Amino acid sequence: MQKSNEKKEFHRSKKTKKEMLTQVLMRAPMCVWALLFILAPMVLLAFMSFMTKGPLGIIQYKFTTENYKDMADAVYATVIKQSLVVAGWTTLLTVLLGYPLANFIAKVKSKTSTILTVLLMLPLWVSGLVVLYSFVILLNNSGIINTVLLNLGIIGKPLQMLYNNFAVVAGMLYMFLPFAVLPMYSSIEKLDGGLIEASKDLGAGPVKTFMKVTLPLTSPGIFAAVILTFIPCIGYYMVTDMLGGGTNMMIGNLIYRQFTISRNWPFGAALSMVLALIILLMVFIYTKLGGDLDDLGA
């Protein structure tokens, strides 16, 4: 009997070790990938941010904190502030416009919902350069909008809609709207209709039902939409370059120019670390407000 128990225990132990080895082998590729392409670059950036720029952009391995102190300069502080403002406005407008659209897609028939979802994804299948050049044609002084308004006599002279914050926010709104709609659509679709009916049976009107039932239950999707919009917006520099005309600089543009034109890699690395900290702070706030990180992949 004792030998039989020892034999069972041996096989159980052997099975457990085999399962552990299988799990390690299955997780190893992802761990190696994360180590090489996420953790290692971040460590390298953090290290470089404390180095010194030498002649002709050569990095001198002398420890300094000047790269971070330079950000207190009014010029760089203004760029960071403007980045937060533009990203904030884009995120707010994207959520306000995206929520009704997500609600509509979730409530229509399955076939119609599929067609609308495909149409929503179309901007993601088109080259970003094509989209941005379309906005240039649409918004410039001799563009479609100004031409129509002038011909109708609504305006006396062309509106300046290009190369300002309006153009930047409009371009980002168009490009990031699908990222906001999809997680909100996922939350609304999972909403139990019986809860809404129960709220109406208890005497709550449409507004009160929305505020007390629908909005709280779909808040994870809204939080996910905020994260998926705000984080790319704050570091996206192509829209600002093309629609802002180079005059409306954001932190992404500043980082790009430090690594390419100025060849000040240590300062560019310091700016990148600040951007990474802002992103981590947003994710931290998101989780504290009750958001689930799994919803970011919805």
Side-chain angles (χ1 to χ4, degrees), residues 109-147:
K109 293 180 181 179
S110 178
K111 188 177 289 186
T112 307
S113 175
T114 302
I115 295 172
L116 291 174
T117 304
V118 171
L119 291 175
L120 180 68
M121 297 296 292
L122 280 178
L124 302 179
W125 301 341
V126 180
S127 171
L129 286 174
V130 173
V131 171
L132 294 176
Y133 275 120
S134 300
F135 268 94
V136 172
I137 296 171
L138 189 68
L139 299 176
N140 66 36
N141 290 347
S142 58
I144 298 171
I145 295 177
N146 275 316
T147 301

Side-chain angles (χ1 to χ4, degrees), residues 15-27:
K15 186 178 179 181
T16 304
K17 289 180 180 179
K18 193 176 290 185
E19 289 175 352
M20 288 178 61
L21 181 61
T22 302
Q23 290 182 4
V24 169
L25 290 175
M26 290 182 68
R27 294 175 183 176

Side-chain angles (χ1 to χ4, degrees), residues 152-173:
L152 293 175
I154 297 175
I155 57 174
K157 61 179 182 179
L159 298 174
Q160 184 59 44
M161 294 184 289
L162 195 61
Y163 306 135
N164 51 33
N165 280 343
F166 169 78
V168 173
V169 172
M172 287 192 175
L173 181 62

Side-chain angles (χ1 to χ4, degrees), residues 26-284:
M26 290 182 68
R27 294 175 183 176
M30 182 58 68
C31 291
V32 171
W33 179 274
L35 182 65
L36 291 178
F37 298 106
I38 299 177
L39 185 59
M42 289 299 296
V43 172
L44 181 61
L45 271 178
F47 172 76
M48 192 185 300
S49 68
F50 290 102
M51 297 298 104
T52 306
K53 176 192 174 184
L56 302 176
I58 298 172
I59 301 172
Q60 294 182 342
Y61 296 97
K62 297 177 182 178
F63 181 85
T64 180
T65 58
E66 290 299 318
N67 297 316
Y68 289 95
K69 291 179 181 178
D70 288 344
M71 291 183 207
D73 186 277
V75 175
Y76 302 126
T78 301
V79 170
I80 295 173
K81 179 183 176 182
Q82 179 162 312
S83 300
L84 295 172
V85 169
V86 171
W89 272 111
T90 303
T91 302
L92 178 63
L93 293 173
T94 303
V95 172
L96 290 177
L97 292 174
Y99 192 92
L101 179 58
N103 185 64
F104 177 75
I105 294 174
K107 297 296 173 64
V108 296
K109 293 180 181 179
S110 178
K111 188 177 289 186
T112 307
S113 175
T114 302
I115 295 172
L116 291 174
T117 304
V118 171
L119 291 175
L120 180 68
M121 297 296 292
L122 280 178
L124 302 179
W125 301 341
V126 180
S127 171
L129 286 174
V130 173
V131 171
L132 294 176
Y133 275 120
S134 300
F135 268 94
V136 172
I137 296 171
L138 189 68
L139 299 176
N140 66 36
N141 290 347
S142 58
I144 298 171
I145 295 177
N146 275 316
T147 301
V148 171
L149 293 177
L150 285 169
N151 290 337
L152 293 175
I154 297 175
I155 57 174
K157 61 179 182 179
L159 298 174
Q160 184 59 44
M161 294 184 289
L162 195 61
Y163 306 135
N164 51 33
N165 280 343
F166 169 78
V168 173
V169 172
M172 287 192 175
L173 181 62
Y174 179 84
M175 297 192 75
F176 293 113
L177 186 63
F179 294 100
V181 172
L182 291 177
M184 290 191 289
Y185 163 74
S186 178
S187 288
I188 295 170
E189 191 181 33
K190 295 173 185 175
L191 185 64
D192 186 357
L195 296 174
I196 297 175
E197 291 298 325
S199 176
K200 291 179 180 177
D201 291 340
L202 292 171
V207 176
K208 193 170 184 180
T209 298
F210 176 77
M211 297 302 295
K212 297 290 185 180
V213 180
T214 306
L215 190 61
L217 291 176
T218 57
S219 59
I222 297 173
F223 293 153
V226 169
I227 293 294
L228 290 173
T229 305
F230 187 88
I231 289 176
C233 279
I234 200 171
Y236 206 63
Y237 63 88
M238 191 165 64
V239 174
T240 315
D241 274 347
M242 294 190 66
L243 301 183
T247 58
N248 299 68
M249 189 178 293
M250 292 179 64
I251 190 170
N253 304 86
L254 190 57
I255 292 171
Y256 170 76
R257 294 184 183 188
Q258 293 302 318
F259 276 102
T260 55
I261 300 172
S262 301
R263 294 189 60 81
N264 190 349
W265 287 27
F267 186 56
L271 288 167
S272 300
M273 292 308 299
V274 169
L275 181 59
L277 289 174
I278 292 173
I279 292 171
L280 289 174
L281 179 62
M282 287 293 299
V283 174
F284 175 76

